[in-house]
Every structure is written in C-alpha cells, then in structure tokens.
Amino acid sequence: MTTGMSDHSADIAPADHPSHPAELARTAPTGQLPARFENPGLPTHIPRMADLDEKAARRAEKQVAALFGLSILGTLGFIASYYLVTEHGSVFVPGIGLMRAENLALGLCLAVSLLGIGLGAVHWAKTLMPDTEVVELRHPLRSSDEDRQALVTTLREEGRKSQLGRRPLLKYSMLGAMTLFPATLTWQLVGGLGRLPHNDLSTTEWNGRYLGGGKWQFVPKRLMRDPENTPIKASDVVIGSVFHVQPEGVLDMTEGKLEAKGKAAVLLMRLNPSDIRSTKELDWSHDGIVAYSKICTHVGCPVGLYEHQTHHLLCPCHQSTFDVTNDCHVIFGPANRPLPQLKITVDSEGYLISAQPFEEAVGPSFWERGS
Amino acid sequence: MSTATTPAHQRPADALRDGDTAARPAPSTGARRLGGVAGWVDDRTGAAKGVTYLMKKVFPDHWSFMLGEVAMYSMIVCLLSGVFLTFWFVPSAGETIYHGSYAPLQGIQMSEAYRSTLDISFEVRGGLIIRQIHHWAALMFVVAVSAHMFRVFFTGAFRKPREINWVIGTILSLLAIVEGFAGYSLPDDLLSGTGLRAMEGFMQSTPVLGSYLAYMVFDGPFPGSAIIPRLYSVHVLLIPGILIALFTAHIVIVALQKHTQYPGPGKTEQNVVGFPVLPVYAAKAGGFFFIVFGIIALMSALVQINPIWGYGPYDPSPVTAGSQPDWYMGFADGALRITPGWLEFHPFGYTLSLNVALGALGLIPVMYTITGAYPFLERWVTGDTREHHLLDRPRNAPVRTGLGMAAMTAYGVFMFAAGNDIMAVLLHMSINDITHFFQVGLFVLPPLAFWVTKRICLSLQRRDRDMVLHARESGTIIRTAHGGYFERHDGIDEFERWPLVQHEAVAPLELPAGTDANGVASPTARSERLRARLSHFYFKDAVNPVTPAELAAAHPGPHEEEVPALEHDADHFVGIEQDHADGVGAPRH
Ligand code: HEM
Ligand code: FES
C-alpha cells in the first residue's frame, strides 16, 4: 500500500474505501463461500413478564410507586432531622467508625430521597417502558463534495476581496499588531501578580536586622523553642532530644510570621562530639549541639522525624533521609543537598544563640541559589 | 428511523400507557396545552423539529457506557454542592482567632479560610454533609473520568471520527485533577498547606525562572496571603468555566456523531441499535443521575472525608507525618519519591534541580501529551483512515490493549510509590528496598504488562476461533461404540457466532521501497520504513477471525450436517430477511 498520499485520498473517498490493510488482507472468496460471515441481523425480541401479564405490570407499577414514596419519606426525614438531630454527638456506624449524628441523619435521609427517585425511574424504564431495541441509521458526517468545494471557494473568493494577499504592507502590519497586542494584558497580569524575589529566598530571620533594600545587619539571635517561645540553655539539650526552634522575635511577629517561620525553622539536636564526622559540623556546633535547617532541600516540607539511635533525620513527605553525624548529608531519597547548618554558640547567660546567618539558601533548590 | 421488529401482539402493558395519552383524533386538553406552550416557543425559535429529533435519538445500552454518565453526574454534583459552599466559605488568609464550637481549637490563631471551613463543618446546619458531598463527588468524578477514558481507549472508540472528543476528554481529565488540587488546598489546613508548600518547591525547580515563577504565583514568599484567594478564583470560576464549556462541546459532539456500539447481531457501521431518548433513555439516564447523587450522599453520610479539624491550621513548621494527597495526585507524589537525588546538577554555579522538575513539572505534560496524541499515532501506524462506529473487543486489538495495560501499570507504579512509607510499615520492609523496587519496576513492569496482556488477548482470540470452529466444549465426554472417546460439542447459533467473527482480518503495512526513484534514501522513505516497522509491531501476531471457508473445512464431508443444522433453526429468530430488505442490520461490504 502506498502511503501519505493515499491517506489524503482516503479522507475524501467514501468511508469504506479499501485503504486499510485489513481490506487488502481479505481472502478472495473460495468457491461460492463468502470471505466473511454475514451479519445475522437482530435477534428476536423476547417480551418481559410485564408485557404479557397485566398482573406483573401492576406489580411493577406498585414497586415504582413504593420507591417514589420512599423518596418522599426521605425528604420528610431530612427536614425532620434538620430540626431534631442537632447535637454534635457521634454515632458509631458499624464497620466504618464514628460519624456525627447530624451528618449521619441528614446524609441518610438525603440518600433515601435521591435513591428512591433514581431507582424508581430506572425500574419504571426497565419494566414498563418499551424494551424493544430501535434502530437508527447513521448518515455520513462529511458534507458533500460540492458543499466542501463551495466552502473553499467562498473562503478564497470572499477572502480575496479583502485584498490581503495583494497588499503585503497591510498583511504584515496587521500580523504585527495582532501578535503584539496580547502583550498588553499579559504585561498587566505578569507584572501585577507578584513581586520579584531579589535575594529573599537566600535570607532568613537569622540574617539579623533588616535594613531595607535587601540588606541585613547581622545580630546574633537566641534560639527559641517553637511554640513555647522560650530561650534554650545549652544544658537543656541532652543527647537524643530534638528541639524545634525559631529565631528570637519571629513568634512575636504580627505580620509575615508564617513566611518567616517557613524559612527560619531549625532543628536542634545534641550528639556526642566524637560521633560527629564532619569537622565543619563540629566547628559550627556548641559542645556537640548542632542546629540544622528544618526545611527539606527537596521541595520544602518540614523535616522532623528524628531517629535517636542512628541520628538520622527523615522527611515525612518523600522520605529523604539526612545523616546528622555527617553534616546532614543525604543518605537516602530524592533530595540532593544536605540540610544547611546554622552556626551556634552561647551568650553570656548561657542561652544558645546564632553565631552567623545560614551560609546558603535554605529549602528547595532554585536556579540562582548558587551551588 | 425504523424499528427492527414490530411486536406481534398487543401487550397488556400498552394498555397502561394507552391511558396516558388520548386517542388520536381529538387532542386532549393536556395535549393542546402542551402544544400551545411548545408552539409559543417554536414561533420564536423554530425548535420543534430539532427537539423532536433529539427526543427520538437512539442511544445504545451497555454498562460501560454509564462510566461517562457517572463522570457527568458527579461533576454536576460538584458544581451544585460547590455553589452551596461558596455561601459560607471565606477565601482569605487573614488571621483570626477561633471561638467556634469545636473545643480543641478554641483560641487558636488561624486563617479565615480555615475558620470558615470549620464553621461549615460545625456551625452551619447540614454544612458538613455538603462539604463531604463536594469532596466525595470530586473523588468520584476523577475516578469516573479515568474509568471512562479506559473504556474509550480499550474499545478503540477514539478512532475516526472521534479523535476530537478524545482530545477534549484528555483535557477534561487534566482539568479535573487541577480543579481537585485547587479545591483541596482551599481550606488551608495543615495537610493541604503542606501540599501547597511542595507545589511552591516544584515551581522553584523550574530551570532559570523558578524563583520568579514561585514569587509570581504566591505574590512573594510562601505562603503569603494571595494564594488562597487566587486558588479560589481558579477553583470556582476559571476551571469550572472551562470544564463546562469543554464538557458541553464533548456532549454535543457525541450527539452529532452518534454513540458507538459494541459489535453484535444486527449492529453495523451504519446503524445505532438502542433505546430512544423519550421515554426510555430519559428515564434511565435521569434516574441514574439520582442514583449517582444518592450513592455520593450515602458515602458522605457514612464515611468521613478530609476531617480538617483534626489537622489544625496551616503552619509551615510543624511536621505532618505520612501526609498523603487525594488519590489522583498520588502518581505525581510517587514520581517525586522515586526520582533519585543525583538528578540535581550544579552547572556553572547554578542549580538545575531535575530531581524535582522531572517528576513535578515534566510528568504531567508528557503523560497527557502522549495520551492526547495516541489516536493520531495509532492511525499513522495502522494506516486506517476509515470511520469506526463499531467498537473493538479489546482482545481483537492485542497491541493496543497491551499498550493500555502498560500505561496503566506505569501509572500504578507511580501511584503505589506514593505509599512507599506506608508499605514499609505494613510489610516490615526497608523503605530503601521498596523504593528501589519501584525504580526498577517503572522500567520492567510496563513491558511485562504489555507482553502478558498481548498473550492473553491472543489466546482469547484463539479461543474465539476454537469456539467458532469446534463450537463449545460441553465438558461431556462421550464414549463411542468403538471404544473411542470424544467431547461432545454443543453448537453455537449464528447470533452467538457473529460477535466472534465480525471483526476484520488484519495484516501489517508493506515495507515500501527504501529509496526514491533516483536510488537516494529519502527522508520520507525513512519515516515510511519506521512506519512499516511499527505497523509490523502492531499487526504481526494477528489472529484473524474464522472465515466461512475455514468453518466448512473444519467440518468436512460426513459431519457436514452438524454445522449448518443450527442455521436451519429458523424459528429461533425472525425478521432477518426483512431487515436486510430494509438495509437495516445488514453488514457492510
Ligand atoms: C467539578 C469539579 C470540582 C472538583 C473536582 C472540586 C473539588 C474540591 C475539593 C476536593 C475541595 C476540598 C473540600 C474539602 O474537603 O474541604 C473543594 C473545596 C471547595 N470547592 Fe470545589 N470542586 C469542584 C467544583 C467546585 C465549584 C464549581 C465550586 C463553586 C462554584 C466549588 C467550590 C468550592 C469551595 C467554596 C470549596 C472550599 C470549601 C470547603 O473546603 O469546604 N467547587 N473542591
Ligand atoms: S520534601 Fe523532603 S523529601 Fe520531599
């Protein structure tokens, strides 16, 4: 069979034009036997009980009416429950569990109201409405060749009257105008939707005091328990414990609190200094107390499952696992980068404080974060 | 339009119906009134003829055709219950303190969105049932859309002239999951917020533009206060608008092209055999809407879904163990879990996070593009440019069925991978092993599924052939007078035989000459060779239907009377002759 070409011709040819290999593969008739079986036509219609027996029909009618009646009861029940079942108590649904009584009553009544109508209508259709199959003929979807030709002719002839083809200046200026015009609305949308990130994603509240214009001045901040908002003494942190930490001030914020928490969240753990295998980690720790960003370097879930024995941090979202004994390098899962470490020390009162901001952007990767 | 068989007898049930409409000559007052109203409308629209045509339109009946209906009805339930929710839901991230009747959250700071969702659940009488209906209907919608899509795929209903509807359906399915995700994120609880957090991470992973994109969508740093109202307008206005427009086009095209039907006696490429809209289809389909709605209400009454009060308000720092998205987002979540971390690269001091971007940004477009393009690919490979209104039995298209199963398997691998943590706990296995299993499985299982499915199809086709050639095995062993044994075969009549032999014999495309007239390898020749190879792949193992000649050969000489005996069984069926005369029920030539 030839290709591309015949596709096009087949498109215009009658629907059963033999362009399909199937057609070609048909075996030639052997003897007088046809190549294929004949369609035997519709089988005989077998009447239903209700078609033959008026009693059965009456029965069906009553069943349908009963279902509709049930629906009416459901509706009345719904309205009654709306006023009667008001407390918030729970009811035990066998096999499923506790459900609120009000929800159960309203929902069940609604279901009865709906199902009564639905089942009634379907039962009615199945038992009493004609079940003789009806045959409708299909007609070709395509228009006649003349009509198609007429369309093409019209488009071309009438189109020509616009003189678009003859006047290139017109054509190109129009094309230019039409291509450019969406820029107006797009500009408004893109320009108005959001602000530019600048260095936002690379800074956190640990950077210190915000001076405006993307600049910060570092001030050490106390590590505060989240949510208690109390400072942490180095002596409070024992091996095996884990503290959820925010920088001082964040939990008192009235504006931008969630945004600040989302970047500055830190986990504080204590290891036996001899278990720490990374010298940088040890340098940035205080006596084996280490602070790491809690925001997963994969797509940003809070990492928070800490295995005391192995000192592994596990992210609940996609199970990236970070090894706290080795500078939180990824030992399993889809994340690539270690959790950034926060360098800490203690102030004069013995409370843990930050010694410098995070050295790199916390959280999920983005193009210009630096590697 | 004509009826194939006219009932020979007056059925008693007709008497019932006769009571409904008066005898012809004098129209009843009811009929006159109806005529009057219809006349008023028709004077102004001329719709009478079109409406009559629609009322008489025939739809074929099959359970699998109801999947699309379930999708349609659950979408309507979503629209309806969604409008209810808008009356109470407050799409705002504004902070407020909770003072409602749910004691555990008393005095807690939260967003207006979360508080209003709590109020819908506790303060508004019957509000919870509406919320649950909305969520269950949404889940049902996506399930039904997918099942409907599989039905269309495996029966080849996407073939010409229905490619447009396949593409529309693909877009609808994509919109359904986006709509679902947007809705799921609205209540601003801890789980949905964590989903949004991940979404923001996905956006950041876009090469070069990531941080700009994320800042644009969230209007600054995550979470910000813009995302809830923005998602709200996407969820209640933008996507529903597109959904309704595309869905309407979908249905209009179905009506225009008439529904496909399964092959069977009397069914041809030129007819539709089924029931008319009025009264049968209207009652069945209308009733079915209430059944679907009723089942959704039942589920909403009995099974709790998304109890947001238990999760607490969103806060980016607390941990949510084992957070699972709604099921239809599972595959994307699973893809993220099995994409290895080494796919993040750091060229020239920049970060290219393919470990996230591949699964989170690439998978859905790739998946939906392949899906949308499939009819056109298959058509190119098979060279079949004809219209098809009779469906394929899946076994009769073994390669297509195999490809479909392979795609479902790949989807399944992604989806189950999203449960790797749960499986690790349940199966007492290491999560590393389970994740590696899925990583390998993604490449091994789909081809395996293809191969197994194709084998099953081929053997089913062979069984069909055996059935036709040797009739049905009765399981009864008969001992002959001479001491031999054979199994008695019950015959099948021609109505039973027809579905087994109605499909076409197929063969691969011929390999065209590899060079053009001048003996130079041309690019078209190359693409044609590829096409021929694919066609070979598609058709090579074809098992073709039994031909009358083969049947005759299988029952030679002395036994001849066994075969046609059944065809003589003429009182079994009537009206064939006259059908043929009508041109109805005749096979196409
Ligand atoms: C047809 C597709 C739709 C789907 C798949 C869908 C899905 C969802 C889902 C999963 C939720 C979360 C519900 C929860 O558990 O709290 C939701 C919430 C919501 N949806 Fe839809 N929805 C659809 C259409 C609509 C429409 C048309 C409207 C309004 C006209 C609407 C209005 C709402 C509102 C106001 C909420 C938030 C209230 C709440 O969560 O209780 N939805 N939607
Ligand atoms: S967000 Fe932590 S593993 Fe994905």
Side-chain angles (χ1 to χ4, degrees):
Chain A
M1 151 171 184
T2 48
T3 54
M5 279 273 296
S6 75
D7 280 0
H8 298 296
S9 55
D11 276 341
I12 328 175
D16 52 2
H17 180 76
S19 62
H20 185 240
E23 226 92 353
L24 305 172
R26 277 187 192 171
T27 44
T30 40
Q32 339 97 306
L33 284 174
R36 301 185 58 181
F37 285 96
E38 289 277 301
N39 189 330
L42 285 177
T44 329
H45 175 246
I46 299 162
R48 295 160 298 188
M49 285 286 273
D51 294 331
L52 302 175
D53 176 4
E54 175 57 26
K55 259 204 237 116
R58 283 291 303 171
R59 201 169 336 118
E61 185 189 6
K62 279 186 199 146
Q63 286 161 346
V64 174
L67 285 165
F68 288 157
L70 196 64
S71 164
I72 294 174
L73 286 183
T75 304
L76 296 176
F78 186 95
I79 294 167
S81 328
Y82 186 91
Y83 290 104
L84 299 179
V85 189
T86 55
E87 28 72 57
H88 280 173
S90 292
V91 183
F92 182 73
V93 184
I96 294 174
L98 288 178
M99 278 311 290
R100 291 235 311 273
E102 172 203 310
N103 187 72
L104 188 66
L106 290 176
L108 285 180
C109 292
L110 178 61
V112 169
S113 166
L114 294 163
L115 287 172
I117 296 178
L119 295 173
V122 170
H123 192 53
W124 178 11
K126 287 201 157 186
T127 50
L128 293 172
M129 292 184 190
D131 78 330
T132 330
E133 287 190 308
V134 172
V135 177
E136 189 181 16
L137 287 184
R138 285 180 193 281
H139 306 287
L141 284 166
R142 72 190 299 284
S143 315
S144 68
D145 285 342
E146 302 82 73
D147 286 349
R148 288 183 173 209
Q149 198 50 51
L151 174 64
V152 174
T153 319
T154 310
L155 288 177
R156 292 185 57 189
E157 303 281 291
E158 303 304 311
R160 197 169 294 146
K161 293 182 185 162
S162 71
Q163 306 198 356
L164 200 62
R166 287 205 292 125
R167 301 189 187 280
L169 182 60
L170 196 67
K171 181 160 144 193
Y172 291 114
S173 57
M174 183 188 77
L175 277 180
M178 296 293 279
T179 353
L180 281 183
F181 122 84
T184 52
L185 297 180
T186 313
W187 218 269
Q188 195 282 329
L189 189 66
V190 173
L193 271 182
R195 40 194 151 120
L196 296 179
H198 302 293
N199 64 347
D200 255 25
L201 287 173
S202 306
T203 56
T204 67
E205 286 297 317
W206 297 108
N207 282 59
R209 195 168 34 242
Y210 189 59
L211 304 175
K215 296 206 167 40
W216 297 75
Q217 182 192 26
F218 179 71
V219 270
K221 288 190 178 174
R222 279 186 177 163
L223 278 66
M224 309 294 274
R225 288 183 182 84
D226 181 13
E228 296 84 353
N229 203 14
T230 50
I232 306 166
K233 277 223 157 78
S235 53
D236 297 340
V237 188
V238 295
I239 292 185
S241 65
V242 58
F243 286 70
H244 300 261
V245 169
Q246 291 289 348
E248 190 176 354
V250 163
L251 293 174
D252 305 314
M253 289 169 93
T254 47
E255 234 168 76
K257 181 159 111 184
L258 290 184
E259 292 75 15
K261 282 177 88 175
K263 285 194 293 182
V266 153
L267 285 170
L268 191 70
M269 294 143 291
R270 184 175 215 141
L271 274 66
N272 205 329
S274 60
D275 284 343
I276 298 180
R277 289 181 284 154
S278 148
T279 37
K280 179 216 106 186
E281 180 176 355
L282 201 56
D283 283 351
W284 287 16
S285 76
H286 173 79
D287 217 7
I289 303 177
V290 291
Y292 279 93
S293 165
K294 188 178 169 185
I295 310 302
C296 187
T297 58
H298 183 224
V299 292
C301 288
V303 175
L305 308 179
Y306 181 54
E307 290 177 33
H308 313 265
Q309 273 87 32
T310 54
H311 301 296
H312 288 169
L313 280 172
L314 180 80
C315 177
C317 280
H318 315 102
Q319 285 77 44
S320 288
T321 311
F322 304 88
D323 184 357
V324 187
T325 67
N326 187 20
D327 203 20
C328 277
H329 276 286
V330 180
I331 52 169
F332 177 75
N336 176 280
R337 291 174 297 105
L339 296 169
Q341 186 179 8
L342 182 72
K343 185 174 180 183
I344 53 169
T345 179
V346 287
D347 63 13
S348 52
E349 294 169 58
Y351 290 112
L352 292 165
I353 53 167
S354 57
Q356 64 179 47
F358 280 115
E359 274 205 336
E360 54 177 317
V362 300
S365 301
F366 54 99
W367 179 254
E368 68 276 20
R369 62 172 290 285
S371 51
Chain B
M1 179 145 89
S2 69
T3 35
T5 50
T6 27
H9 40 265
Q10 171 74 24
R11 293 173 293 169
D14 289 339
L16 266 181
R17 287 190 291 273
D18 284 347
D20 298 342
T21 50
R24 286 277 151 93
S28 66
T29 38
R32 247 181 291 130
R33 207 170 294 146
L34 184 62
V37 174
W40 191 93
V41 177
D42 188 60
D43 282 347
R44 284 150 187 85
T45 59
K49 209 169 149 201
V51 172
T52 313
Y53 173 75
L54 277 182
M55 291 298 108
K56 287 186 165 177
K57 217 167 162 42
V58 171
F59 282 92
D61 224 16
H62 190 269
W63 68 264
S64 71
F65 298 161
M66 303 205 307
L67 295 171
E69 276 183 73
V70 178
M72 166 163 83
Y73 299 147
S74 35
M75 185 182 82
I76 294 173
V77 175
C78 272
L79 295 172
L80 193 70
S81 54
V83 172
F84 274 57
L85 291 176
T86 59
F87 296 140
W88 299 288
F89 181 69
V90 183
S92 158
E95 292 290 328
T96 169
I97 307 282
Y98 184 67
H99 294 299
S101 59
Y102 183 64
L105 290 175
Q106 274 298 339
I108 303 255
Q109 193 175 353
M110 58 182 61
S111 66
E112 290 275 8
Y114 186 66
R115 189 205 36 86
S116 62
T117 312
L118 287 175
D119 287 354
I120 293 175
S121 310
F122 293 100
E123 261 52 64
V124 179
R125 182 79 47 80
L128 181 61
I129 194 74
I130 302 289
R131 259 195 75 225
Q132 305 222 98
I133 285 176
H134 192 65
H135 205 135
W136 274 120
L139 294 186
M140 180 106 113
F141 179 46
V142 190
V143 173
V145 166
S146 316
H148 171 60
M149 234 171 149
F150 287 125
R151 195 282 291 171
V152 169
F153 181 84
F154 286 116
T155 58
F158 56 78
R159 290 172 297 171
K160 189 181 170 187
R162 295 184 177 75
E163 303 95 325
I164 303 176
N165 251 358
W166 173 260
V167 173
I168 293 181
T170 308
I171 302 172
L172 281 172
S173 142
L174 178 60
L175 288 177
I177 61 174
V178 176
E179 176 73 347
F181 180 83
Y184 180 78
S185 305
L186 286 180
D188 201 26
D189 57 283
L190 191 55
L191 272 192
S192 71
T194 306
L196 276 180
R197 168 75 257 205
M199 182 58 71
E200 200 262 0
F202 302 166
M203 289 178 188
Q204 282 193 23
S205 78
T206 314
V208 186
L209 293 177
S211 56
Y212 295 89
L213 188 65
Y215 264 56
M216 199 169 93
V217 170
F218 286 82
D219 190 16
F222 177 83
S225 54
I227 192 67
I228 298 287
R230 285 183 182 177
L231 278 176
Y232 184 68
S233 85
V234 166
H235 183 75
V236 308
L237 183 68
L238 190 62
I239 298 186
I242 307 175
L243 264 180
I244 293 171
L246 284 180
F247 162 75
T248 310
H250 199 72
I251 283 295
V252 167
I253 292 178
V254 169
L256 210 68
Q257 297 181 332
K258 300 194 169 81
H259 208 289
T260 51
Q261 56 192 349
Y262 281 93
K267 301 181 180 172
T268 74
E269 291 282 7
Q270 277 87 29
N271 70 11
V272 192
V273 181
F275 297 100
V277 167
L278 210 63
V280 183
Y281 223 75
K284 276 193 183 171
F288 194 50
F289 166 74
F290 283 92
I291 293 180
V292 170
F293 197 173
I295 290 173
I296 294 172
L298 202 59
M299 293 198 291
S300 310
L302 296 176
V303 192
Q304 188 163 80
I305 185 155
N306 204 18
I308 47 111
W309 51 89
Y311 310 145
Y314 181 61
D315 180 329
S317 52
V319 184
T320 44
S323 65
Q324 298 283 326
D326 266 358
W327 78 268
Y328 45 83
M329 277 292 156
F331 76 100
D333 194 53
L336 279 174
R337 291 180 190 220
I338 62 176
T339 314
W342 54 259
L343 282 167
E344 178 170 297
F345 305 103
H346 303 271
F348 312 111
Y350 292 105
T351 302
L352 179 61
S353 194
L354 291 184
N355 57 337
V356 178
L358 280 186
L361 305 174
L363 180 64
I364 290 185
V366 167
M367 207 170 91
Y368 278 89
T369 309
I370 295 178
T371 309
Y374 185 83
F376 307 97
L377 294 175
E378 188 185 282
R379 177 176 148 142
W380 184 66
V381 169
T382 60
D384 186 353
T385 55
R386 300 162 307 159
E387 287 192 8
H388 291 277
H389 304 289
L390 280 178
L391 295 171
D392 277 333
R393 299 171 79 213
R395 69 186 61 176
N396 289 338
V399 170
R400 179 200 299 142
T401 306
L403 290 174
M405 290 305 287
M408 279 174 85
T409 309
Y411 184 91
V413 168
F414 285 131
M415 196 162 94
F416 282 106
N420 62 354
D421 48 342
I422 294 175
M423 276 178 225
V425 174
L426 290 183
L427 305 176
H428 302 289
M429 281 172 68
S430 107
I431 189 153
N432 303 27
D433 292 343
I434 292 183
T435 306
H436 290 144
F437 168 79
F438 284 119
Q439 285 169 336
V440 175
L442 181 63
F443 295 96
V444 173
L445 295 179
L448 189 68
F450 172 82
W451 186 82
V452 170
T453 310
K454 190 176 161 194
R455 291 296 125 192
I456 292 176
C457 287
L458 292 175
S459 61
L460 285 174
Q461 279 187 295
R462 283 193 206 98
R463 210 178 66 182
D464 285 353
R465 281 183 60 91
D466 282 352
M467 182 91 101
V468 173
L469 287 175
H470 311 298
R472 187 184 291 132
E473 285 150 29
S474 62
T476 317
I477 305 293
I478 295 180
R479 184 162 182 250
T480 64
H482 306 293
Y485 293 89
F486 70 92
E487 190 179 0
R488 189 168 60 77
H489 285 161
D490 298 333
I492 56 173
D493 66 30
E494 63 174 332
F495 294 110
E496 291 170 293
R497 184 207 296 141
W498 176 244
L500 309 180
V501 296
Q502 49 75 33
H503 57 294
E504 292 174 319
V506 289
L509 291 173
E510 291 300 326
L511 188 72
T515 52
D516 66 13
N518 303 322
V520 183
S522 68
T524 42
R526 213 173 306 136
S527 89
E528 281 312 315
R529 269 207 306 279
L530 171 66
R531 184 183 182 192
R533 221 171 295 137
L534 288 175
S535 170
H536 183 69
F537 166 74
Y538 197 90
F539 287 124
K540 64 180 173 197
D541 296 321
V543 174
N544 284 324
V546 176
T547 62
E550 285 174 319
L551 181 61
H555 299 269
H559 300 291
E560 191 140 49
E561 72 284 4
E562 280 178 28
V563 192
L566 293 148
E567 272 154 87
H568 296 155
D569 204 1
D571 50 359
H572 229 277
F573 33 86
V574 292
I576 301 157
E577 271 15 284
Q578 110 213 12
D579 275 352
H580 282 221
D582 283 344
V584 174
R588 58 189 291 249
H589 296 289

